[in-house]
Amino acid sequence: MAALYNLYVTFVIFFVLLHASEASRKISMQINPGCDTSIPHPPACDMKNIVYAKAEGPTDTIHYIFSTIGYPSVLTVLAPDTSGKVIIDWNKLLNDTTDWARTVNFTFEPVYSYGMIFRRLYEYNDHNDKADMSAYSPEQNDTWKIHDLKDMKWQPADKFIDQRHHVVTLQSMPQEWMCKNHTEVYPCKSNQTGTISFVWSLFGNNGRSSVLPHLEYNSNITHMDLVIDNIKPEYSKSRFAMEMFLMSSDKKSHTQSKDTKSIDDEYSPGVFKMTDWSTNMGDRPFGGFIQWKPVCYYKSARGRENASKVRKYGFVPKDAAAMKKDFSLQYSVPYAFFGARLHTLSMNATNVSFGLPKDKFYSKTSYTAWTASVGYGNPPVDKVSDVITIVIATGLGIPVILIIVGAIYLFIKKRLAKNKVMKDITESYSQIQ
């Protein structure tokens, strides 16, 4: 009995160690690499943000660029080995009057590359409390305010970088916002004392975030937290939404999206769905992706009691003809890398909005936080955790072992009893003879 139990415990320990022994990466981060502070073009380097990160593995390296130059964006480039670095033409990139094409390059031929651009923050007057931005026509000037993120000013990244934990926060400055609607551009009704933040967290190994919604990560994934904090809304019933673009070096015309459901809400109580938005992989077994659960939070101390919904609005392909007429994305790091190829690559756009009917709108707490995973490879699939597996195995395994051992004991006991009876009968028969 003790031997069987020890064997069972050994198997459980082996199972845990097996899952903990996957490949890791060495993370390094650098702000504005190669930028000369004496460059005369205003504004100088300290007013621009490019955070360059390398995730170096045993055989390859993932290069990241997180930026608020032009539109906030992230560029991910896979290198075939552990060497290589980024080269940036800062003279052109710091000059808004020049073409940024090919001002960001690498010293190697990329295996794969993709990028994300965050273009607009939509604010809409949800006077019907539907929490659905598609319920309102874009031509309703009394309903929409559009905040172009290219026009925003940003804090220097070195104020909010944590080299030890590989986290950098790109945060806007308090400033006067410009509002747009269907027909005009004008100053918003009040100066903003609040901020928009993109918090990027890199990982060198496997695990799960310690905060809700506890998204899984591995060495090929970075987590993004979008935080809209203390923004003065234009309406008493304002809700916000973010416009995002996803593009990759694939030449197909669309990306892929799917929603998966789970029977387990162990990590995110009450949330049973996951959204994967992936680049079109072509002949490759995997590519880039952004993954999220449809949940956001209205307080910095996240909990189920302050959770709300994230709604997505389809994934719209952007063809080359349309993109050639839309010059706005040329003010972004992905364009600085892809150049004119950006108009021919696989590209989709989508909006995600935040809020549920009857949650009292953004003004209730003046805070919204949303977390997503941005990565290379296959998106993680939510599954029952090792802890739960061990608990279930322990709960079911030990009783099964006891039943088997008990059955064997009863079988042997009956067998011995039967043999004893047969022996007694044989001895009695011999005495009669």
Side-chain angles (χ1 to χ4, degrees), residues 67-82:
S67 176
T68 54
I69 295 181
Y71 289 104
S73 61
V74 57
L75 175 69
T76 304
V77 178
L78 179 66
D81 52 39
T82 57

Side-chain angles (χ1 to χ4, degrees), residues 151-156 159-160 171-177 190-197 229-232:
D151 298 332
M152 302 193 71
K153 297 180 177 64
W154 300 85
Q155 305 267 14
K159 292 180 62 176
F160 305 103
Q171 185 177 98
S172 66
M173 291 182 175
Q175 60 198 277
E176 181 181 67
W177 281 22
S190 59
N191 289 340
Q192 287 294 348
T193 57
T195 58
I196 297 174
S197 301
D229 185 16
N230 200 32
I231 296 298
K232 294 179 181 178

Side-chain angles (χ1 to χ4, degrees), residues 67 69-73 93 100 103-104 116-117 150 247 328-337 342:
S67 176
I69 295 181
Y71 289 104
S73 61
L93 198 59
W100 291 3
T103 55
V104 173
M116 287 190 65
I117 298 173
K150 176 176 65 68
M247 68 288 299
S328 64
L329 297 187
Q330 295 184 12
Y331 297 100
S332 67
V333 162
Y335 176 79
F337 172 69
L342 185 69

Side-chain angles (χ1 to χ4, degrees), residues 1-14:
M1 181 71 177
L4 286 172
Y5 179 78
N6 290 336
L7 179 64
Y8 175 75
V9 171
T10 301
F11 169 77
V12 169
I13 294 174
F14 173 77

Side-chain angles (χ1 to χ4, degrees), residues 280-300:
N280 195 317
M281 286 75 78
D283 297 330
R284 298 176 181 84
F286 42 70
F289 65 87
I290 175 172
Q291 180 185 73
W292 68 87
K293 292 187 175 183
V295 61
C296 60
Y297 298 90
Y298 280 161
K299 289 184 179 180
S300 57

Side-chain angles (χ1 to χ4, degrees), residues 71-72 116-124 133 144 147-149 152 154 177 196-198 224-228 239-245 277 290 292 310-314 349-354 370:
Y71 289 104
M116 287 190 65
I117 298 173
F118 303 88
R119 187 165 69 164
R120 295 169 178 157
L121 182 70
Y122 292 105
E123 181 179 355
Y124 68 100
M133 62 187 294
W144 293 91
H147 309 292
D148 196 314
L149 298 184
M152 302 193 71
W154 300 85
W177 281 22
I196 297 174
S197 301
F198 293 90
M224 177 203 74
D225 290 284
L226 170 65
V227 181
I228 306 170
R239 298 190 189 277
F240 288 96
M242 179 63 73
E243 179 188 40
M244 306 183 298
F245 289 79
W277 186 19
I290 175 172
W292 68 87
V310 174
R311 180 190 292 268
K312 62 180 174 63
Y313 296 86
T350 192
N351 298 318
V352 292
S353 66
F354 313 108
W370 171 56

